Amino acid sequence: DYYSFLGKKGQRVVASCLTSSIDSKLPAEVQIVALANGVGKRLAYNRNYSGNDAVCDATLPEDGEYFVRVCCFTYTQGGPDYFYRLTIGTAPWIDAIHPPVVEAGQEAQVTIYGRNLPGGVLDPKMTFDDRPLEKLLAVVKAPAGEQATRLAYTGYVPPLSGLLDGFEYRVKNGAGVSNPYLLGVAQAPVVLDAEANDAPSKAQVVPVPCEIAGRVDRRDDRDYYRFQARKGQVLGIEAFADRLGAAMDVQFTLYNAKGDKLIDLDDNPDVLAPTFFNRSDDPPRYRFTVPEDGDYTLLVVSKDATNWYGTRFLYAIRIAPEQPDFRVVVMPATTSTAEAVNLGQGGNQALTVLVQRLGGFTGDVTLAGAKLPPGITVRPQVVAGNQKQAAIVVSAAAEAAPFAGPVELVATAKIDGKTVTRAVRPASITWSLPLPNQQQNTPTVSRLDRELVLALRDKAPYRLSADTTKITVLQGDKITVPVKLTPLAPDFKGTVQLSALALPVGMVMQPVTVNPGQEVKVSLDSKGTVLPGNYTLVLRGQTQPPNPNQQPNPKAPRNLIEAAPPIDVTIVPRQLAKVTVPAAAVKVKAGAAIEVPIKVSRQYDYAGSFKVEVDAKSSKGVRAAEATIAPGAEEVVLKLSTDADLKAGANLTVNLRITALFNDTLPVVHDAKLALNVVK
């Protein structure tokens, strides 16, 4: 595709061809071309600027007509999914901002690098595609408080950046407004790379906590940083580059004071889910338990600094004590197809919930609705501390008015005894997987959305209902839920297949088919491998379960999907500790008192108290005052006394009952037997 424009000598014209940013599949190539005596002369060329987007610029040599040429790289792809948005003009374009992070709630001076910057001056040292960029100084302020834990950015956000905290920055000139640029929110004071730190002997000393902002701006650039740490201190070391949209594949190496390598980290393979494939080229976060007092050195490099360096090769390194926290993403409950949230009157729809846990946080997260329109509800639902994926149900009243628009969800959790609230970030699948690839664990193409949007329309075709909203079972016991299918649409007569969404690891359910007007019993095997905790059980029904081995039939009936109201499930452990009493019989005189140590080895991160008592009915002749193993403690001394009429030589068995409260409400009883030998 060719486009022509009239330009004037000296104008710096930027041609921006967005594809990835607007969910296109096109790998774009863009050129600016001048004609001289009927022969085309290429002035600028670019592809893969960011993803498949392409951006190039040219300073026009004279007044006249110029052309912009757009094509698919290698000319091998095309079609309705290969669209683009081409912008040609002299508005500003931001290529980089250094530092790329600003401390929460603080102002900072940054240097903007780009093209057509208002008041910008050329910097020959900073180039892109061998063209010098302009630079401009500006003061920016990062959001504070709860706003600092959001991602307030209107540009394209792929999954790898979807869990960042950040905000956007733009500039404008007489021709228009620039592209949005993402700045990260730092959780500690920002320290700038001093640059003269390319050897261990020249390592830049940085405080802890801090966030280092650096750049690999020359061939084989190596940045060394030195910090002090105390034995037993737990620090998180995390690098950001790829997730910030930088061109850099960063890696770091940690050394002790002797120069011994402690860890060498590169790409992070971990992902939240195949539907939100957030793998990045940034190293995984490193939990550093300091082995001894002293200095430690961190080496930061670009993975291939021989060929990859320059203005856009920015990074940030966070070195700070662990701060427990979490971020939450919610998206339609689908594994391979692009879906929206369509809710019927009197119906329920499910969403997938993804939780990223930070700084060692392992607590439960509760999701609920906020600012919902009348008739739409999201009652509080729990994601257990051992889950990173769960489900949540949105419900509509039978008389709810039609609605289409954004809704909000919030997530709360207890951290260090305080309630912490985080906004829930919406996402969705962009392109459905082709049928041969619709298999579990095949990554999809998805993105973060600006808002969670749902539509409430006519009456739901049918309703799924259960006769309970709360179930409590012992670990390993089976769960049985009666589920009824009630037709709501007059012509609904089909069967519905039920399945469970995002079950806890170890819990299984076989799909069950239910007929209109009937009730079936859904059985779930929780097995002994399912960890104790609070869960939300979400059952989902569909009339046409997709078959990955068959092509879709456009004449087949529509797949009608509904969810049952959520059910709170609490799996109670059979024990919260292993109890230890003296293995050998304890010798005691009749009518005397004795002290016996009772020890517990805690399980499932239970940190509460244990009540220790003697079963008076089965332990004749022995008494004891109730004792308590304090929260966090491992032992208590139980004071026993015996009756004076006990005969010497008697062997007694004392039955002990050790009780803990799971969830602060459910008693978990541990039995132990203590042997006594009565002596003279």
Side-chain angles (χ1 to χ4, degrees):
D1 293 342
Y2 284 88
Y3 302 89
S4 69
F5 66 93
L6 294 176
K8 295 182 179 181
K9 181 179 179 178
Q11 282 184 318
R12 188 167 193 174
V13 175
V14 178
S16 162
C17 185
L18 302 185
T19 58
S20 296
S21 295
I22 57 172
D23 303 324
S24 169
K25 297 179 180 179
L26 172 64
E29 175 185 295
V30 64
Q31 299 181 29
I32 298 177
V33 180
L35 285 181
N37 300 321
V39 179
K41 178 183 179 181
R42 190 172 77 184
L43 301 180
Y45 167 90
N46 183 255
R47 67 181 182 90
N48 298 137
Y49 175 85
S50 178
N52 285 329
D53 292 353
V55 179
C56 69
D57 78 273
T59 300
L60 304 184
E62 59 186 26
D63 293 358
E65 184 180 22
Y66 294 85
F67 298 86
V68 173
R69 179 180 189 273
V70 179
C71 67
C72 169
F73 179 66
T74 71
Y75 309 99
T76 56
Q77 296 170 298
D81 299 344
Y82 293 80
F83 47 87
Y84 59 86
R85 180 184 301 156
L86 178 65
T87 302
I88 307 168
T90 57
W93 183 271
I94 299 176
D95 289 279
I97 297 181
H98 184 65
V101 294
V102 180
E103 186 180 2
Q106 301 298 313
E107 287 188 345
Q109 180 175 279
V110 300
T111 304
I112 305 168
Y113 298 95
R115 311 165 222 195
N116 293 327
L117 302 180
V121 295
L122 286 176
D123 184 348
K125 295 181 180 179
M126 296 298 171
T127 63
F128 180 78
D129 282 347
D130 297 325
R131 285 175 169 77
L133 297 176
E134 301 158 25
K135 70 176 181 179
L136 173 69
L137 297 180
V139 175
V140 301
K141 185 174 182 179
E146 194 273 334
Q147 294 296 320
T149 64
R150 295 172 178 256
L151 182 55
Y153 182 66
T154 57
Y156 170 64
V157 183
L160 65 91
S161 302
L163 299 167
L164 285 178
D165 302 332
F167 61 103
E168 72 176 41
Y169 188 79
R170 296 177 186 254
V171 295
K172 64 180 179 179
N173 62 14
V177 181
S178 74
N179 56 308
Y181 190 88
L182 175 62
L183 289 170
V185 177
Q187 297 178 1
V190 176
V191 177
L192 298 183
D193 171 18
E195 297 186 2
N197 57 349
D198 55 357
S201 60
K202 300 178 182 179
Q204 179 179 344
V205 177
V206 296
V208 174
C210 72
E211 294 210 15
I212 305 166
R215 176 174 54 214
V216 175
D217 54 9
R218 62 187 183 278
R219 187 183 302 275
D220 294 325
D221 191 8
R222 304 167 71 81
D223 293 337
Y224 287 88
Y225 303 96
R226 182 172 296 125
F227 62 93
Q228 287 187 339
R230 302 184 309 276
K231 181 178 180 179
Q233 194 174 8
V234 179
L235 300 174
I237 303 177
E238 188 168 10
F240 302 87
D242 190 19
R243 287 174 289 173
L244 286 170
M248 180 174 172
D249 184 354
V250 65
Q251 63 184 88
F252 68 78
T253 306
L254 182 65
Y255 300 90
N256 63 15
K258 300 176 183 178
D260 300 326
K261 182 189 297 186
L262 300 181
I263 191 73
D264 190 357
L265 290 176
D266 196 355
D267 302 343
N268 186 358
D270 292 338
V271 296
L272 273 181
T275 51
F276 196 72
F277 194 72
N278 61 322
R279 179 215 168 273
S280 82
D281 288 338
D282 294 342
R285 181 180 178 278
Y286 178 53
R287 186 176 189 269
F288 178 41
T289 301
V290 181
E292 58 183 345
D293 292 356
D295 290 343
Y296 293 86
T297 301
L298 194 69
L299 167 63
V300 182
V301 297
S302 176
K303 191 170 183 178
D304 184 5
T306 301
N307 300 307
W308 299 102
Y309 56 91
T311 311
R312 299 174 64 222
F313 285 74
L314 304 169
Y315 64 84
I317 305 288
R318 179 179 299 156
I319 308 174
E322 286 199 321
Q323 299 179 31
D325 208 338
F326 61 96
R327 300 291 181 268
V328 180
V329 172
V330 66
M331 56 195 308
T334 173
T335 58
S336 58
T337 56
E339 291 186 9
V341 185
N342 296 302
L343 192 59
Q345 294 168 322
N348 305 276
Q349 287 294 348
L351 297 165
T352 296
V353 178
L354 305 172
V355 179
Q356 184 196 40
R357 301 176 187 277
L358 306 169
F361 173 67
T362 59
D364 291 354
V365 175
T366 301
L367 275 74
K371 300 179 182 178
L372 301 178
I376 296 179
T377 57
V378 180
R379 73 171 179 82
Q381 296 162 59
V382 176
V383 181
N386 57 64
Q387 290 181 297
K388 69 176 183 180
Q389 181 170 344
I392 188 174
V393 175
V394 182
S395 304
E399 68 282 0
F403 169 81
V407 296
E408 292 185 22
L409 302 177
V410 295
T412 58
K414 288 284 188 181
I415 299 179
D416 296 331
K418 298 180 180 179
T419 300
V420 175
T421 302
R422 297 287 177 254
V424 175
R425 305 178 181 188
S428 59
I429 292 176
T430 305
W431 297 104
S432 299
L433 289 174
L435 279 175
N437 296 324
Q438 287 185 12
Q439 302 172 3
Q440 193 173 9
N441 296 325
T442 300
T444 60
V445 179
S446 57
R447 64 172 294 164
L448 205 69
D449 298 329
R450 296 188 194 174
E451 296 174 311
L452 174 61
V453 178
L454 66 81
L456 170 60
R457 284 296 180 259
D458 300 329
K459 192 176 293 294
Y462 61 90
R463 180 173 61 242
L464 297 171
S465 57
D467 63 357
T468 183
T469 60
K470 187 174 181 61
I471 297 173
T472 301
V473 295
L474 279 175
Q475 188 178 18
D477 287 356
K478 286 190 174 182
I479 298 172
T480 301
V481 183
V483 178
K484 185 176 181 180
L485 170 60
T486 303
L488 298 180
D491 58 346
F492 181 79
K493 299 178 181 179
T495 60
V496 172
Q497 187 178 79
L498 299 177
S499 59
L501 296 178
L503 289 173
V505 175
M507 186 179 290
V508 294
M509 170 193 165
Q510 296 299 322
V512 177
T513 300
V514 57
N515 295 311
Q518 293 187 351
E519 183 179 270
V520 295
K521 290 185 177 180
V522 174
S523 295
L524 300 101
D525 190 351
S526 70
K527 299 185 176 181
T529 57
V530 179
L531 294 175
N534 303 303
Y535 302 93
T536 297
L537 173 61
V538 175
L539 299 175
R540 189 182 195 226
Q542 48 188 352
T543 56
Q544 301 289 329
N547 185 343
N549 298 318
Q550 295 180 357
Q551 292 292 333
N553 181 2
K555 297 182 180 180
R558 188 163 60 96
N559 185 19
L560 303 176
I561 299 174
E562 289 289 323
I567 299 172
D568 298 331
V569 175
T570 299
I571 296 181
V572 182
R574 295 186 179 274
Q575 64 178 38
L576 282 170
K578 293 183 178 180
V579 179
T580 302
V581 300
V586 178
K587 296 180 179 181
V588 60
K589 293 182 179 181
I594 191 173
E595 294 183 346
V596 179
I598 307 296
K599 300 180 180 180
V600 294
S601 177
R602 296 172 180 269
Q603 297 176 317
Y604 305 118
D605 296 324
Y606 177 70
S609 62
F610 292 86
K611 182 174 69 174
V612 182
E613 55 189 336
V614 171
D615 184 356
K617 293 183 179 180
S618 59
S619 303
K620 301 296 184 181
V622 181
R623 298 172 304 284
E626 182 182 300
T628 300
I629 300 177
E634 306 290 333
E635 182 178 347
V636 72
V637 173
L638 184 65
K639 297 180 180 180
L640 298 172
S641 59
T642 57
D643 291 346
D645 57 357
L646 290 178
K647 294 182 180 180
N651 293 313
L652 306 177
T653 299
V654 179
N655 294 312
L656 302 179
R657 183 182 297 112
I658 300 94
T659 306
L661 290 179
F662 182 68
N663 284 350
D664 296 327
T665 57
L666 301 172
V668 176
V669 179
H670 311 74
D671 294 320
K673 296 182 181 298
L674 174 66
L676 296 183
N677 177 242
V678 182
V679 297
K680 293 183 179 180

